[in-house]
Amino acid sequence: MSLFEPEEIGLKVGLEIHQQLNTPTKLFCRCKKFEDSFVNTMYRTLRPTQSELGKIDPAARFEFEKNLRIKYEIGENSSCLVELDDEPPHSISMEAVKTSLIIGLALSSNPINELHVMRKIVIDGSNTTGFQRTLVVSTGGELKTSNRSVPVQAIFLEEDAARLLGDSKNKRNYGLDRLGVPLVEVALAPVTTTPKEVQEIAYALGRLMRSTRLVSRGLGTIRQDVNISIFDGKVVEVKGVQRLDLLEKIINFEALRQKSLINLKDELINRGLIPEDFQNKPSDITALFQKNNNTILKKVLKKDMKIYAVKLKKLSGILSFEEFSDVRFGRELADVARFYGISGLLHSDEIPGHGVTSIEVKKIRQKLHLNELDGFLLLSGEKGKLEKASEAIQKRIQSAFSGVPAETRGPTPDGKTRFIRPRPGSARMYPETDIPPITISSKLVNELKRNIPRPWEEQILEYISKFSLSRKLAIQIYDSSFIDIFEELANTTNVPSSLIAATLTETVVNLSRAGLDTTILTAAMVKSLFTTLDNGIVSKEAIPQILELILKREVKNVEEAIEKIGLTALTDNKLFVLVKTIIDENRELIDEKGIASFSNLMGQVMSDARGRVDGKKVSSILKSELNKTLSLDNK
Amino acid sequence: MTDIQGYKGVSYNLLSKSKVSIGDFIDVKTNNGSIQGSLMPRYEYADDQHIVIKMSNGYNVGLRTKKIISIKLITKRSAPSFQPPKTPKLDPKLPKVAIIGTGGTIASRVDYRTGGVHPQFSTNELYAIVPEIGKYAQIHTKPLLNIYSEHINADHWNIIAEKTVKEITEGFDGIIIAHGTDTMGYTSAALSFALSNSPVPIILVGSQRSTDRPSSDAALNLIGAVASVTRIPFSGVYVAMHGSVNDSTVAIHRGTRVRKNHTSRRDAFQSIDVSPVAFFKDEKVEVLTEDLPLKNSSLQFKVRCQFEKDVALIKFYPSFNYKLIDHLVDSGYRGIVFEGTGLGHLGEDCYQSIDDAVKKGLLVGMTSQCIWGRVNLTVYDSGRDLLKIGVIPLGDMLPETALVKMMWALGNAQSGKEAEILMHENIAGEYLERSTFERRKKYEFI
């Protein structure tokens, strides 16, 4: 049961879906491979640029002051000097432009007449340039789902970021293989909706894009950003939701979190507080903890590190207060501290405890001249960082007076969200001067209109009839990354389409649930598996076992798997001999039980034949041989 | 008067009729509905069929004039209120360094509305953008020129040289010259000859990635240049640029031995046939050589900053037409530097023309198009023939350095003979005595 009514709290959700395109090359260079093994490394630092007002974004400056050294892993085939930012971009991939326009046209969006590539400043290292190249290809339009219509704001074409491989204190590691892969972004307008419906909208959009047959499929090729707001709050962006089944949970969590922040605002005002109450200088209390080595504050404490205490006027009880499960203001403040590189943080609602004694708490309260209603924070870390963090945390408290702050958050694996950074403004976009504008003629638009895919539903119906699949199986295989190889095999082999489809969806999903990495399964392996089956070399019963061996990396290919299991199919002749032998060995049993001995005999034959021949065939041969034997006996 | 920079023809007429200017927030009604945003300037070479606006999400889009029904002004552009940074506190104990700007922006500010880049060259702004330079020196910026380096000519070398002398006389402990990279190697050679035995080091610095991007190499190169100019013990002219594709090392190259060897890589500049003089890494300067003239030595600081422009650098190639040489002679040229093949050779049908040129008093020098290695005109007959005609073999001097040197020699010598003597003299390390083995790869990827 939901803890709120979406309409009552004014829940508005805007989806931005990022989908990798299945183009022959990257967006601004002609690298063909999108995944690679790395053979070289490079180190870079990025530095914030000054805006027109002479200002540097404080969050960007902070990132820079972390003195982050970014390590890039370079593959020989997947990246060139363009990804290294050591060569200007080449011309844009027109394949990608056309695909993004087709997706736009399928959503009744209006193509832009002249495309302008922009630079969007991002200095976390995910782009070697320090910006992402991005362009609007069309504006407006609508997405129709089975029961509603959602307006489209705009459709963008952009380069994918480098792949994050590792992130620690002042080292960050990216792979360049994914950098520059074309992505289409569809930004839907925020609409009043329910968390469940958002998931349906996301599915509908994903399916529309896949129906073009021009986009990549599989895990990591589609990502969602969700903009969530409620009445009286600002928009919160949750970035990088990879699993659609988490969307509902995330939206539910965010709505409650935002609702509790709006309630907090009222509570702060009720307590007679004003934002100016939170401009306190922190006090150095390192000496107080000189002998106490039990607290987590000390765990991160190295030489020259300090412990600071910050007074939080009349906030006692608020920091741990949990209106909804797992939504606490103390956690919001801890997230800010973490952003500023502080990991040791405790607040007055949770101590004594965590290794801090009540005597120490008393001493802190005395030192800060606190009364009972006042709360406080303890922070440990480097002196310079502590000062910045204590200022930022108090700023965060000040912004609680206006309810929900606009910020970028990230999803957690269990469907909650965590603060990543403040939301950047539009003032971080400027033209990519290395690439001239691209004219989109009316003639091209008319040509592309002819390539608008038939609706997804229509294509599914066709799949059901053409390949004799159940609706469920048709949808599963259509949405899967094996769609192309499925069609090839279904059209060229005599293996039943439903067996191919079920293997590539259900069997693979089961193996993945068993913890195996199914991404290593290539189209070539699938092809060789079903060709072997088609040629009668193995039987369908052997498929799961062969796949399992491959995914466990115990064998390199289907041939090795067959060899390892000791499987080669029984020819009709050999099967016949086997059946005869079993019958001969069991004459007594047959004499005694007659036709009722069938299941026993079947079990004996199958213990030899399993995986080597279709069970149905065994059953029919055995039946006829058994009948022959019994009728002879009767004579 | 409306300001609609870059627009022409159809789009110009449409905009001027609508009385809107660049930066104005406007509403454009088209066949497909309305779009609002700020009017952006148009690139000079773009067509006249589109107008460009920046939408409120920051994206630019081009709208075809044919599809526009009307343009309405919503609000006039307001000028951004720029807040200049505060004057930094200079540490009086640190050496004084002058940074002379010639163009190629070392620091810049982005105008998000127009996409333009404002070059910033006040001392305050430089400190605001690259605060690290304050660790090494008291910096004073000296704007001088603002031109792309491909437009720099020998007159500008003279201007830069004189400005450098002025700052040295005013007591600066080191001079940095911010310069575009395309011809930085030529300017560094020119200054090496014009300012021999300078009492303080002079370092040219530039960037391969423009400074409006967060990944620009400008800041590290500048920091490396400032640190090195205060710490290397030598006099002379140098170039400071990235030592590898990493943002970790700045290599300091000798001004007469450096060449831009890649169109776009950060580590495009390489010392040819010799190791860089020093490296800047992790806030430290490591000096790699000992045999350079020390700064503030007793050697006389010689300022000779005239350059003769009528000198040509000619690359020989199969089917080269000797008439090109005749033409230079007829046009009154005073010198020719050849980039010969291999050890320094030219096709024999050029001999007569070269002989005529030498007889008419032109200086003719020989370098090699191989870039690495030295010429030798005594190994083969072709070389000996050229020697006999009077071609001056220029050892392992880089072709570009040789050109600049001949311009300088002819500009400052009283006679052709004196200029020829200068060509043979080793003024600023342009000749190396020894050809050491494979030093050029040694410093890649550090």
Side-chain angles (χ1 to χ4, degrees):
Chain A
M1 222 205 66
S2 186
L3 289 162
F4 59 88
E5 284 301 322
E7 289 201 12
E8 237 165 66
I9 63 166
L11 176 66
K12 278 197 158 191
V13 180
L15 271 180
E16 290 170 11
I17 298 213
H18 305 254
Q19 167 74 62
Q20 273 187 10
L21 301 185
N22 190 16
T23 46
T25 69
K26 288 189 174 180
L27 192 53
F28 291 110
C29 70
R30 302 294 90 95
C31 286
K32 291 190 175 75
K33 269 186 89 176
F34 295 172
E35 266 167 33
D36 208 357
S37 50
F38 302 121
V39 293
N40 237 323
T41 52
M42 159 179 102
Y43 292 90
R44 289 280 166 79
T45 49
L46 294 171
R47 160 183 291 269
T49 45
Q50 256 193 332
S51 81
E52 55 195 328
L53 302 182
K55 281 181 186 152
I56 291 176
D57 176 40
R61 159 134 299 171
F62 180 75
E63 280 274 342
F64 171 65
E65 282 169 358
K66 279 197 218 161
N67 213 352
L68 198 65
R69 211 166 135 77
I70 307 153
K71 182 180 178 186
Y72 293 101
E73 303 279 352
I74 305 166
E76 216 161 359
N77 302 306
S78 60
S79 53
C80 62
L81 287 184
V82 174
E83 283 87 340
L84 268 70
D85 189 39
D86 256 338
E87 183 175 278
H90 298 193
S91 61
I92 196 165
S93 153
M94 278 312 284
E95 304 276 344
V97 171
K98 286 178 187 168
T99 303
S100 61
L101 282 169
I102 290 171
I103 292 172
L105 290 168
L107 289 161
S108 318
S109 189
N110 297 312
I112 297 295
N113 309 136
E114 191 186 61
L115 307 180
H116 288 250
V117 182
M118 306 296 292
R119 297 172 174 176
K120 186 195 271 183
I121 298 287
V122 184
I123 69 159
D124 61 2
S126 57
N127 290 72
T128 45
T129 48
F131 50 74
Q132 179 191 34
R133 297 189 184 96
T134 168
L135 54 150
V136 187
V137 294
S138 65
T139 56
E142 60 170 345
L143 170 74
K144 286 185 187 140
T145 73
S146 48
N147 46 24
R148 73 172 295 168
S149 149
V150 183
V152 172
Q153 284 182 331
I155 294 174
F156 307 86
L157 178 60
E158 52 193 32
E159 30 177 29
D160 204 346
R163 202 148 52 87
L164 185 65
L165 301 173
D167 193 6
S168 67
K169 217 166 153 201
N170 42 19
K171 269 191 217 144
R172 202 171 280 168
N173 193 3
Y174 288 97
L176 287 187
D177 51 358
R178 204 183 68 186
L179 180 61
V181 172
L183 280 184
V184 81
E185 177 191 335
V186 177
L188 298 177
V191 288
T192 306
T193 181
T194 62
K196 192 165 177 48
E197 193 181 54
V198 173
Q199 201 170 323
E200 283 161 23
I201 295 170
Y203 269 116
L205 188 50
R207 283 170 171 172
L208 179 130
M209 292 200 271
R210 284 193 291 277
S211 70
T212 62
R213 303 294 297 264
L214 298 168
V215 303
S216 302
R217 287 145 190 265
L219 195 72
T221 61
I222 187 162
R223 297 195 294 276
Q224 279 81 217
D225 295 350
V226 207
N227 295 315
I228 304 166
S229 66
I230 63 171
F231 282 142
D232 297 329
K234 296 212 177 72
V235 178
V236 171
E237 180 187 39
V238 182
K239 242 185 153 40
V241 185
Q242 290 216 5
R243 284 171 44 198
L244 279 186
D245 52 357
L246 271 188
L247 260 184
E248 189 178 345
K249 258 187 157 177
I250 286 169
I251 296 167
N252 268 321
F253 175 84
E254 231 347 88
L256 292 177
R257 191 186 70 89
Q258 295 185 15
K259 199 168 162 224
S260 105
L261 283 174
I262 285 171
N263 294 343
L264 172 70
K265 168 179 120 182
D266 298 339
E267 175 65 20
L268 293 176
I269 293 166
N270 281 343
R271 290 192 180 201
L273 290 164
I274 51 169
E276 289 70 27
D277 287 331
F278 300 94
Q279 298 172 343
N280 301 316
K281 278 246 163 302
S283 316
D284 184 346
I285 55 154
T286 320
L288 250 170
F289 283 91
Q290 207 160 29
K291 284 181 188 150
N292 179 344
N293 288 318
N294 300 325
T295 131
I296 59 154
L297 297 171
K298 275 281 184 77
K299 289 216 173 101
V300 290
L301 212 58
K302 289 189 203 129
K303 221 179 141 195
D304 300 332
M305 294 224 180
K306 302 268 178 203
I307 301 177
Y308 277 18
V310 187
K311 173 185 176 180
L312 303 177
K313 187 178 170 186
K314 290 191 192 169
L315 285 196
S316 185
I318 278 188
L319 301 164
S320 277
F321 177 66
E322 221 177 77
E323 185 181 3
F324 307 105
S325 160
D326 267 334
V327 179
R328 294 186 300 276
F329 193 50
R331 188 174 168 168
E332 303 270 319
L333 302 185
D335 281 348
V336 175
R338 203 164 33 91
F339 180 77
Y340 282 86
I342 302 291
S343 51
L345 177 124
L346 289 173
H347 58 71
S348 44
D349 288 357
E350 56 190 355
I351 53 176
H354 296 277
V356 180
T357 65
S358 53
I359 299 169
E360 282 160 344
V361 172
K362 208 177 236 172
K363 281 185 184 161
I364 296 166
R365 289 193 164 272
Q366 271 168 6
K367 181 158 173 126
L368 297 180
H369 309 289
L370 304 183
N371 68 40
E372 275 171 25
L373 291 173
D374 295 335
F376 61 88
L377 280 181
L378 300 180
L379 306 164
S380 66
E382 279 168 42
K383 195 177 167 211
K385 283 186 180 171
L386 284 177
E387 274 157 17
K388 277 187 191 128
S390 101
E391 200 184 314
I393 290 171
Q394 295 194 73
K395 276 210 176 117
R396 175 65 191 85
I397 301 175
Q398 289 173 6
S399 65
F401 285 85
S402 45
V404 185
E407 59 193 23
T408 300
R409 302 179 69 85
T412 63
D414 57 347
K416 300 190 177 76
T417 69
R418 294 202 85 167
F419 173 80
I420 305 180
R421 55 173 177 262
R423 270 201 94 164
S426 66
R428 57 170 182 158
M429 301 271 280
Y430 66 108
E432 168 55 278
T433 44
D434 294 341
I435 300 161
I438 304 133
T439 310
I440 301 300
S441 66
S442 307
K443 191 173 154 236
L444 176 65
V445 172
N446 288 330
E447 261 171 49
L448 295 176
K449 275 185 183 161
R450 287 199 284 277
N451 293 325
I452 297 178
R454 284 177 304 132
W456 179 83
E457 181 60 34
E458 233 174 77
Q459 298 198 37
I460 291 296
L461 290 176
E462 188 193 280
Y463 246 59
I464 295 172
S465 66
K466 187 173 171 192
F467 297 115
S468 318
L469 299 176
S470 68
R471 180 173 173 85
K472 188 180 161 211
L473 209 46
I475 292 176
Q476 281 177 347
I477 191 70
Y478 190 87
D479 280 350
S480 94
S481 54
F482 294 111
I483 179 167
D484 291 324
I485 188 71
F486 165 76
E487 287 185 1
E488 186 188 332
L489 293 168
N491 289 326
T492 59
T493 68
N494 295 315
V495 180
S497 305
S498 57
L499 174 63
I500 306 173
T503 305
L504 294 178
T505 55
E506 285 155 10
T507 311
V508 170
V509 166
N510 286 340
L511 290 167
S512 156
R513 287 207 182 115
L516 295 176
D517 176 12
T518 53
T519 60
I520 64 170
L521 190 65
T522 63
M525 290 174 188
V526 172
K527 192 171 173 179
S528 117
L529 177 64
F530 286 100
T531 322
T532 320
L533 180 70
D534 196 27
N535 295 337
I537 297 169
V538 293
S539 73
K540 70 174 198 282
E541 282 76 9
I543 291 176
Q545 215 181 339
I546 295 175
L547 286 177
E548 196 178 332
L549 280 176
I550 291 177
L551 298 182
K552 279 184 174 161
R553 295 171 203 260
E554 284 178 23
V555 296
K556 282 200 203 83
N557 51 42
V558 174
E559 291 71 37
E560 279 185 35
I562 293 170
E563 206 168 293
K564 176 140 191 174
I565 308 173
L567 280 179
T568 38
L570 281 174
T571 57
D572 287 2
N573 211 6
K574 279 187 184 158
L575 176 61
F576 195 74
V577 173
L578 177 66
V579 169
K580 286 283 249 187
T581 316
I582 298 282
I583 288 180
D584 285 348
E585 283 172 0
N586 289 278
R587 284 310 279 255
E588 267 178 46
L589 180 77
I590 295 168
D591 288 347
E592 188 189 319
K593 292 203 167 167
I595 194 74
S597 62
F598 175 80
S599 60
N600 186 318
L601 297 175
M602 181 74 187
Q604 293 189 42
V605 178
M606 283 310 282
S607 78
D608 244 10
R610 185 162 291 120
R612 304 168 66 189
V613 67
D614 190 348
K616 275 186 204 151
K617 201 185 230 174
V618 177
S619 157
S620 83
I621 293 181
L622 176 62
K623 220 171 247 168
S624 89
E625 286 306 304
L626 187 58
N627 280 331
K628 265 190 224 166
T629 312
L630 288 170
S631 65
L632 276 177
D633 285 357
N634 289 342
K635 277 176 194 169
Chain B
M1 218 348 246
T2 52
D3 158 30
I4 40 181
Q5 182 195 331
Y7 287 96
K8 59 195 174 194
V10 180
S11 56
Y12 180 89
N13 291 338
L14 177 67
L15 290 171
S16 51
K17 206 175 70 195
S18 313
K19 297 199 173 69
V20 291
S21 300
I22 303 292
D24 288 353
F25 195 71
I26 58 175
D27 180 283
V28 185
K29 208 169 139 195
T30 74
N31 298 341
N32 295 325
S34 289
I35 289 192
Q36 297 190 341
S38 306
L39 183 66
M40 302 289 291
R42 187 94 176 133
Y43 301 102
E44 209 176 317
Y45 299 107
D47 67 33
D48 67 345
Q49 303 297 315
H50 297 86
I51 70 160
V52 184
I53 66 164
K54 178 183 281 294
M55 303 192 297
S56 53
N57 60 6
Y59 281 86
N60 293 4
V61 292
L63 306 173
R64 197 161 297 146
T65 49
K66 254 200 313 212
K67 303 200 169 201
I68 294 174
I69 298 164
S70 67
I71 298 178
K72 275 206 192 90
L73 176 74
I74 299 177
T75 43
K76 287 302 276 182
R77 173 188 183 159
S78 53
S81 55
F82 175 68
Q83 294 174 326
K86 286 184 210 129
T87 310
K89 245 171 123 179
L90 304 186
D91 181 349
K93 290 195 288 283
L94 291 174
K96 279 171 67 190
V97 170
I99 302 186
I100 298 171
T102 69
T105 53
I106 266 290
S108 54
R109 189 151 54 81
V110 175
D111 182 341
Y112 289 108
R113 225 168 334 193
T114 64
V117 175
H118 308 291
Q120 297 308 310
F121 213 72
S122 77
T123 303
N124 292 1
E125 278 164 331
L126 202 57
Y127 269 102
I129 295 164
V130 194
E132 295 98 317
I133 53 177
K135 279 189 213 164
Y136 305 99
Q138 307 177 59
I139 303 289
H140 296 267
T141 54
K142 310 278 175 178
L144 176 65
L145 305 168
N146 193 10
I147 38 180
Y148 287 141
S149 75
E150 59 269 36
H151 302 317
I152 281 187
N153 63 39
D155 294 335
H156 299 115
W157 295 342
N158 181 282
I159 294 169
I160 297 168
E162 284 179 349
K163 177 73 173 172
T164 306
V165 172
K166 180 168 172 272
E167 302 305 342
I168 292 175
T169 350
E170 282 185 8
F172 280 96
D173 302 305
I175 310 290
I176 305 269
I177 299 166
H179 198 288
T181 55
D182 274 10
T183 66
M184 188 154 66
Y186 293 84
T187 303
S188 70
L191 296 178
S192 300
F193 299 121
L195 308 173
S196 55
N197 303 329
S198 67
V200 302
I202 299 157
I203 299 186
L204 287 91
V205 66
S207 68
Q208 284 284 81
R209 292 274 86 77
S210 62
T211 46
D212 57 340
R213 47 171 84 205
S215 61
S216 173
D217 51 334
L220 181 66
N221 289 345
L222 180 65
I223 298 164
V226 171
S228 301
V229 86
T230 60
R231 294 187 183 177
I232 58 170
F234 309 122
S235 125
V237 178
Y238 305 91
V239 165
M241 290 291 286
H242 263 51
S244 74
V245 294
N246 299 322
D247 282 330
S248 60
T249 312
V250 177
I252 310 298
H253 306 279
R254 196 147 189 210
T256 50
R257 300 246 39 115
V258 65
R259 195 167 187 280
K260 184 176 185 176
N261 281 339
H262 197 279
T263 56
S264 58
R265 272 174 66 154
R266 285 164 169 73
D267 56 354
F269 283 80
Q270 286 178 301
S271 286
I272 308 292
D273 285 335
V274 68
S275 133
V277 170
F279 275 115
F280 168 78
K281 191 181 184 185
D282 297 333
E283 306 191 1
K284 289 187 191 76
V285 178
E286 187 195 349
V287 178
L288 302 171
T289 179
E290 291 170 357
D291 48 5
L292 289 177
L294 295 175
K295 62 183 179 187
N296 298 318
S297 70
S298 54
L299 294 173
Q300 197 204 338
F301 180 25
K302 285 191 202 158
V303 179
R304 291 170 285 184
C305 46
Q306 301 306 313
F307 293 90
E308 168 59 62
K309 284 185 183 171
D310 285 336
V311 178
L313 173 61
I314 304 285
K315 183 173 195 144
F316 176 79
Y317 46 87
S319 291
F320 178 87
N321 191 331
Y322 61 88
K323 284 182 194 154
L324 188 55
I325 303 169
D326 299 342
H327 175 72
L328 290 173
V329 175
D330 295 343
S331 310
Y333 266 68
R334 295 188 58 204
I336 302 174
V337 173
F338 277 104
E339 266 187 34
T341 58
L343 288 168
H345 302 139
L346 302 174
E348 57 191 356
D349 51 357
C350 300
Y351 293 177
Q352 188 56 52
S353 298
I354 294 173
D355 193 39
D356 290 347
V358 172
K359 290 214 169 87
K360 287 205 170 129
L362 275 79
L363 281 188
V364 179
M366 180 60 68
T367 64
S368 173
Q369 54 191 247
C370 298
I371 311 297
W372 275 269
R374 64 182 71 231
V375 297
N376 191 323
L377 299 188
T378 58
V379 177
Y380 295 104
D381 286 346
S382 335
R384 289 181 210 131
D385 291 339
L386 290 172
L387 267 186
K388 210 171 134 204
I389 295 169
V391 170
I392 309 162
L394 296 174
D396 61 352
M397 207 186 304
L398 295 177
E400 298 85 357
T401 299
L403 167 79
V404 172
K405 186 174 181 186
M406 195 177 278
M407 292 165 93
W408 168 81
L410 288 166
N412 295 287
Q414 301 302 319
S415 66
K417 193 71 216 157
E418 195 187 327
E420 192 178 337
I421 293 168
L422 284 174
M423 285 309 288
H424 285 290
E425 218 176 287
N426 191 2
I427 307 285
E430 69 274 26
Y431 285 115
L432 295 174
E433 284 180 1
R434 301 173 57 233
S435 307
T436 46
F437 175 63
E438 266 303 311
R439 295 181 90 164
R440 66 179 192 268
K441 290 268 180 210
K442 199 171 161 188
Y443 296 97
E444 237 176 60
F445 280 104
I446 52 172

